[in-house]
Structure formats: structure tokens, C-alpha cells
Amino acid sequence: GACLLWAMDLVIRYPVTLKMNYVSIVFVESLVGLLFISPWLLKNFSELKKLSLFNWLIALFIGGIGMSVAGYLQTACIQKATPGLFSFFQIFQPLFVIYLAYVVLKEKVDNMYVYWGIWVVLSAILMFSVDLELMLSSEIVISDSLIALLTMLIWGTCTILAKKFLKSHSPVLLVGLRWFFAFLFSGAILLLEKETIPTEIVFQSDVIARFLFIGVVAGVFSMYLYYSGMKN
């Protein structure tokens, strides 16, 4: 369910990237998500006192780096290149996560993971062959590919760190902290970049609907599903 919502996020987010700067997009997305999750975060406030320094750092990385920084990279990539190019690099994330799970979490890796992983990657190359053909036939922009690759590595690392966090804490707490740190980071970057929120665009009915989906449905709700599954 979470993966289905994330796939829809790319399609729904793309028209917004044609109207707004990616710095503003991630800030508004973080604000919408934080406003929605705040009641649950306040309800679990007592649990915050039980967090160790390591778990605070995990939440900081997942929210600040994983959502804000990687979110900027994601939006910038699909704004400069195409959603297809960005999605292509995400295909390799499961193999990266399985490797980290083996090294960091000491999880047993069955050979079938590797065999099926290779099959999925080859199938994905065929699926994205049109985007790859366009990319190879035109001037290759290395920076776009590196941005997509770096985003994949960040999100893969977040998966492993989230699993460690969820061993002792609830999914809703991690979702809340994720949005809290994402809002702080995105706000700081917004100020550093001296960007302003284009309210005349944000308050258009179509854009409002898209941000509600991006921040709440594909943001808060999908992450709750994802973390609940991961915890179990």
C-alpha cells in the first residue's frame, strides 16, 4: 500500500514542480504533514522522554536528511530531468537495503533475494528503456544521475535506521519526529535560499489538493503503513 502511494506521488507531484521552486515545494509539503501529524505527536509526548541520543539522531537523519534533503534532491531531479529517470535509480534501492540489512542488522540473506533482485532489475531496465534511450541519445547530464543515485542511497540508509528505531518505539512516534525534523530542515533551507512561498499558486484549488495528497496521503499515511509493516 505504501509503495503504491509513493508511485502515485511522483505523478501527482510533477505538475507542481512546473509551477513552483523545489525549495518551496518541500517546505509546504513538510508543513502540511506536520500539521496533520501534530495531534498524534503530542499524544505520544511522554514517549519522547524515553528516547536515547542515538534514536534522536536516527530521527534527525530520517526527517532532516531523508525527507528534507533527499526530498529537495528528488524534486530537483524530476524538475530538471524526468520522473522516469529518477524512478529508474530507485529500482536498485532494494538490493542496497538487503546488503545493509546483512551488514548492519545482521539479517540472514537468502540467495533467492539476489536472484529475484537481478530479475527485477533487468525487467525494470526494459520498462524504462524509453527513458534510457532518450537519455543515451542526448547529452548525458551526469549531475542528474548522481542526484538520483544519492537520493536512493539516502533513502536506503533511512530504511535500515528506521528498523533499528522501531525495535523499541512505535511507528506513529517515528512518523511524527520525521515530519518535525523535516519541517525544521526545510524551513532553514528556505531561509538560507531566501525563497518566498508563492501563495498565489499554493492556494489554487488544484495545487491545494495535490499538496494534501503529497503531505498527508503519500506522506504521513503511507509512512505509517510502511513503518507498521517494518516493525512487525
Side-chain angles (χ1 to χ4, degrees):
C3 289
L4 175 62
L5 293 175
W6 290 335
M8 294 171 63
D9 176 87
L10 272 176
V11 180
I12 293 175
R13 181 188 298 265
Y14 185 63
V16 181
T17 66
L18 302 178
K19 299 180 179 180
M20 292 174 57
N21 182 283
Y22 61 89
V23 175
S24 302
I25 292 174
V26 178
F27 175 78
V28 176
E29 172 189 0
S30 302
L31 176 60
V32 171
L34 180 62
L35 290 175
F36 185 82
I37 196 65
S38 290
W40 286 270
L41 189 60
L42 293 173
K43 182 180 179 181
N44 291 270
F45 184 78
S46 59
E47 194 173 348
L48 295 174
K49 301 176 183 179
K50 304 175 184 178
L51 289 178
S52 64
L53 176 61
F54 181 64
N55 282 327
W56 275 109
L57 292 176
I58 288 178
L60 176 66
F61 184 88
I62 292 175
I65 307 300
M67 183 175 176
S68 290
V69 176
Y72 288 127
L73 294 177
Q74 174 206 25
T75 309
C77 182
I78 66 175
Q79 193 174 45
K80 292 177 60 182
T82 65
L85 174 65
F86 177 82
S87 298
F88 173 74
F89 281 90
Q90 295 306 310
I91 293 160
F92 298 93
Q93 184 172 318
L95 293 178
F96 176 63
V97 169
I98 289 171
Y99 173 74
L100 281 187
Y102 173 75
V103 174
V104 178
L105 301 177
K106 309 302 180 184
E107 292 187 0
K108 182 181 179 181
V109 179
D110 191 282
N111 287 336
M112 290 303 294
Y113 280 119
V114 180
Y115 299 146
W116 278 108
I118 293 173
W119 176 260
V120 169
V121 170
L122 291 176
S123 300
I125 291 175
L126 180 61
M127 289 172 58
F128 288 100
S129 59
V130 175
D131 288 278
L132 292 174
E133 183 181 4
L134 290 173
M135 182 180 69
L136 295 174
S137 62
S138 60
E139 182 180 355
I140 299 178
V141 182
I142 301 299
S143 60
D144 293 341
S145 299
L146 290 177
I147 287 174
L149 176 63
L150 179 60
T151 306
M152 181 273 287
L153 296 176
I154 291 174
W155 284 344
T157 303
C158 285
T159 301
I160 301 302
L161 293 177
K163 178 63 177 179
K164 294 186 73 70
F165 185 97
L166 292 168
K167 287 182 176 180
S168 53
H169 298 286
S170 66
V172 70
L173 181 64
L174 182 55
V175 173
L177 289 176
R178 182 178 187 267
W179 249 259
F180 174 72
F181 283 115
F183 176 74
L184 293 182
F185 270 64
S186 60
I189 296 175
L190 186 74
L191 293 175
L192 291 174
E193 293 288 333
K194 298 180 179 179
E195 289 286 340
T196 57
I197 304 298
T199 54
E200 70 281 359
I201 297 177
V202 172
F203 289 107
Q204 293 176 5
S205 58
D206 175 67
V207 176
I208 290 176
R210 290 180 184 276
F211 270 119
L212 285 175
F213 182 89
I214 294 170
V216 178
V217 181
V220 174
F221 183 63
S222 67
M223 291 309 302
Y224 178 75
L225 290 177
Y226 179 61
Y227 289 147
S228 296
M230 187 184 295
K231 183 177 179 64
N232 295 326

